[in-house]
Amino acid sequence: MKGAVRIERVVTHGTFSLDGDTFDVDNNVWLVGDDEEVLVVDAAHDAEVIHRATAGRRVTAVVCTHAHDDHIDAADALATRTGAPVLLHPDDHELWSRTHPARKPDGELTDGRTLTVAGIELQVIHTPGHTWGSCCLYVPFLGAVFTGDTLFHGGPGATGRSYSDRPAIEASIHARLLTLPGDTVVHTGHGPDTTIAAERPNVPTA
């Protein structure tokens, strides 16, 4: 028996550094799968904690919603432990190389690509703005979208640092995320869940 397909959250703790500043952060790491196989979204900070949460299941991929160091710092170690490929949008390769200069991602996230795990599909949506390679993962079967740092409870993610742009993130959210069904649950990179309907009033229009 494979068991029900489900979403699990692991919260890890570490730092985020960019543009000369460092902050303490808590990150949401998401596991999507069943009792046999699982996909990991954003391997943050602690490969051992994440590996324990996979509980012996086959890890099909380590997916990076973007390449800020707090979302990818455990990706290499987790991939080494599990044999899973690391996937990242090519527009974030320069950011990735700041954290992992000696290792490249194993595959590319591209807009419209479909990933599969436990018999369900995750649709890659390229949403530039927080970083140029930021991507979200929409899972129609589960009525969920994983938004990394693109969309939070309360509105768009931050754009005040390198590799980011406020008009771009707002355009991405309007065109690619707010068009999803309103009851779609938004699983974010930090903090609590929300829904698409709840965030529609929180995204400025051009």
Side-chain angles (χ1 to χ4, degrees):
M1 292 292 291
K2 291 186 176 182
V5 179
R6 58 194 180 274
I7 297 169
E8 301 161 69
R9 182 202 317 247
V10 179
V11 179
T12 58
H13 317 280
T15 61
F16 163 60
S17 298
L18 189 64
D19 297 339
D21 295 318
T22 298
F23 307 91
D24 292 325
V25 287
D26 293 339
N27 283 62
N28 295 326
V29 181
W30 299 101
L31 279 58
V32 186
D34 58 15
D35 290 341
E36 293 186 359
E37 61 181 24
V38 65
L39 176 147
V40 176
V41 181
D42 287 346
H45 307 308
D46 195 326
E48 176 59 30
V49 166
I50 301 167
H51 188 232
R52 284 202 303 267
T54 65
R57 292 171 285 181
R58 183 173 73 90
V59 180
T60 62
V62 177
V63 179
C64 308
T65 62
H66 63 292
H68 281 157
D69 61 356
D70 59 318
H71 289 255
I72 64 167
D73 50 4
D76 182 25
L78 184 64
T80 299
R81 288 171 185 260
T82 63
V86 176
L87 307 180
L88 177 72
H89 193 280
D91 288 353
D92 266 11
H93 282 183
E94 183 178 344
L95 261 178
W96 167 275
S97 68
R98 292 181 170 209
T99 302
H100 299 294
R103 186 213 201 278
K104 295 181 179 179
D106 302 298
E108 294 185 352
L109 297 179
T110 54
D111 189 60
R113 179 177 178 180
T114 298
L115 308 176
T116 59
V117 65
I120 65 167
E121 295 185 346
L122 298 85
Q123 300 171 6
V124 178
I125 305 173
H126 183 211
T127 51
H130 181 67
T131 67
W132 297 123
S134 287
C135 289
C136 300
L137 299 172
Y138 177 47
V139 192
F141 180 80
L142 297 174
V145 62
F146 299 92
T147 57
D149 288 0
T150 293
L151 182 63
F152 289 115
H153 184 283
T159 53
R161 297 186 176 274
S162 301
Y163 307 97
S164 67
D165 182 78
R166 174 59 54 170
I169 197 174
E170 292 174 358
S172 291
I173 293 170
H174 275 287
R176 310 306 307 278
L177 297 181
L178 299 188
T179 53
L180 298 176
D183 60 355
T184 303
V185 178
V186 177
H187 297 296
T188 63
H190 309 270
D193 294 343
T194 183
T195 65
I196 292 295
E199 297 314 314
R200 284 177 179 149
N202 297 328
V203 185
T205 55

